[in-house]
Amino acid sequence: MKLAVSCQLTYETTQNTPLVLMLRPRSGAGQWVTKEEYLLDPNIPVVEYTDLYGNLCQRLLTPEGNFTVKTSAIVEAPDTIDVDFNANFVPVQELPDDSLIYLLPSRYCESDKLGNMASTIVQEATTGYEQVEAIRKWINENIDYQYGHSNASTSAQDTAQSQVGVCRDFSHLAVALCRSLNIPARFVVGYLYELKPMDLHAWFEAYLGGRWYTFDATQTQPRGNRVVLAYGRDAADVALATQFGEMELTSMFVSVEPVQENETL
């Protein structure tokens, strides 16, 4: 399906503030960007670079007063995600070099503290995919999805104890549990078609059988029509906006709509 995705952020600042944004989807495995637009109001200089994880980052210095950034894109994304219960665990010594970083504990994913929990959850699973699916299912069935019970400092271990959170917390816990079993897992942020309420969304991927597979602990069934904005070890690596000074986000609007063949951006 072709999806029209957009995100608009409006800030109010009292001084020039350095800002790094991560709002451009990148063409690659599973998605193809056919058209995009990136607007700044007021129009100010911006420099783009690629970070350690392959994400497109935009670096700028905001003006004083009101500042708005609006991004939109048309992206071809698959209607389904791949599911393969025969995909097996890859021994650490056989993993590609660039996946090894996703085995390590990180700021929000304390995998070194959750090994016993992970082993209990996956005790009936055999293949690597079955283990990750057991983790995804356990989180979906045992962690309550509620707003207002977690914050920007909540970690996987916090969520394991409180058993409540949102997509960010679900994904952090899943990533940490996978890593504790020596399964590379990475945090993903992006758009999901027909998400209710509409917002930017977080899920995770696990490296099994020589490739990355998509999992979403907030959903009861596999769902496609996703547009990835960024990958990382956890939310610290994929913040859509990182500010280095005082700024207030006054409004945010996110949209994901299907595109008819005769429509343009």
Side-chain angles (χ1 to χ4, degrees):
M1 177 185 289
K2 280 189 177 181
L3 297 172
V5 300
S6 65
C7 178
Q8 179 171 309
L9 306 175
T10 300
Y11 292 95
E12 186 173 331
T13 66
T14 58
Q15 59 186 359
N16 299 118
T17 303
L19 181 67
V20 176
L21 298 168
M22 205 176 291
L23 293 171
R24 283 189 62 203
R26 188 170 187 170
S27 294
Q31 66 183 39
W32 188 259
V33 180
T34 63
K35 197 170 185 179
E36 65 176 317
E37 189 173 53
Y38 201 112
L39 301 175
L40 303 174
D41 184 19
N43 190 22
I44 57 175
V46 58
V47 175
E48 186 166 76
Y49 68 94
T50 302
D51 70 8
L52 296 174
Y53 310 99
N55 304 313
L56 299 176
C57 305
Q58 302 81 51
R59 183 178 179 180
L60 51 91
L61 185 67
T62 68
E64 294 183 19
N66 293 325
F67 170 71
T68 299
V69 53
K70 181 179 180 181
T71 65
S72 46
I74 293 179
V75 185
E76 294 182 0
D79 295 334
T80 60
I81 57 175
D82 292 338
V83 174
D84 183 1
F85 283 92
N86 293 317
N88 220 333
F89 173 86
V90 179
V92 173
Q93 64 271 23
E94 298 177 12
L95 288 169
D97 295 343
D98 59 2
S99 70
L100 294 178
I101 193 171
Y102 298 112
L103 287 175
L104 304 177
S106 57
R107 177 179 176 182
Y108 296 113
C109 299
E110 312 99 312
S111 51
D112 54 325
K113 300 177 181 179
L114 295 170
N116 290 337
M117 180 180 181
S119 296
T120 300
I121 292 173
V122 306
Q123 60 184 333
E124 301 298 328
T126 55
T127 68
Y129 193 99
E130 288 178 349
Q131 290 180 328
V132 179
E133 174 58 20
I135 289 170
R136 185 213 63 78
K137 184 178 179 182
W138 187 93
I139 294 173
N140 180 264
E141 294 178 349
N142 291 275
I143 307 298
D144 291 331
Y145 193 99
Q146 293 184 34
Y147 292 97
H149 293 272
S150 60
N151 55 46
S153 298
T154 301
S155 69
Q157 189 175 32
D158 295 331
T159 303
Q161 293 171 350
S162 68
Q163 298 203 347
V164 63
V166 293
C167 60
R168 176 184 189 274
D169 309 304
F170 280 45
S171 299
H172 279 154
L173 181 54
V175 165
L177 291 169
C178 289
R179 290 179 188 168
S180 72
L181 300 173
N182 289 331
I183 297 174
R186 61 188 183 184
F187 190 91
V188 188
V189 66
Y191 300 93
L192 175 60
Y193 176 55
E194 293 188 328
L195 180 68
K196 296 179 181 179
M198 179 51 65
D199 201 346
L200 292 169
H201 188 52
W203 61 92
F204 73 104
E205 293 185 353
Y207 191 84
L208 302 160
R211 53 159 293 186
W212 291 98
Y213 285 89
T214 297
F215 296 87
D216 190 338
T218 70
Q219 305 296 310
T220 57
Q221 298 293 329
R223 289 180 58 183
N225 293 318
R226 298 169 184 269
V227 175
V228 174
L229 282 174
Y231 302 98
R233 295 167 298 176
D234 56 32
D237 294 331
V238 299
L240 301 178
T242 303
Q243 63 195 59
F244 299 89
E246 293 187 6
M247 293 179 61
E248 181 183 358
L249 178 64
T250 58
S251 69
M252 176 175 178
F253 176 77
V254 177
S255 174
V256 182
E257 297 293 340
V259 176
Q260 303 300 323
E261 288 302 320
N262 58 348
E263 289 186 42
T264 58
L265 187 66

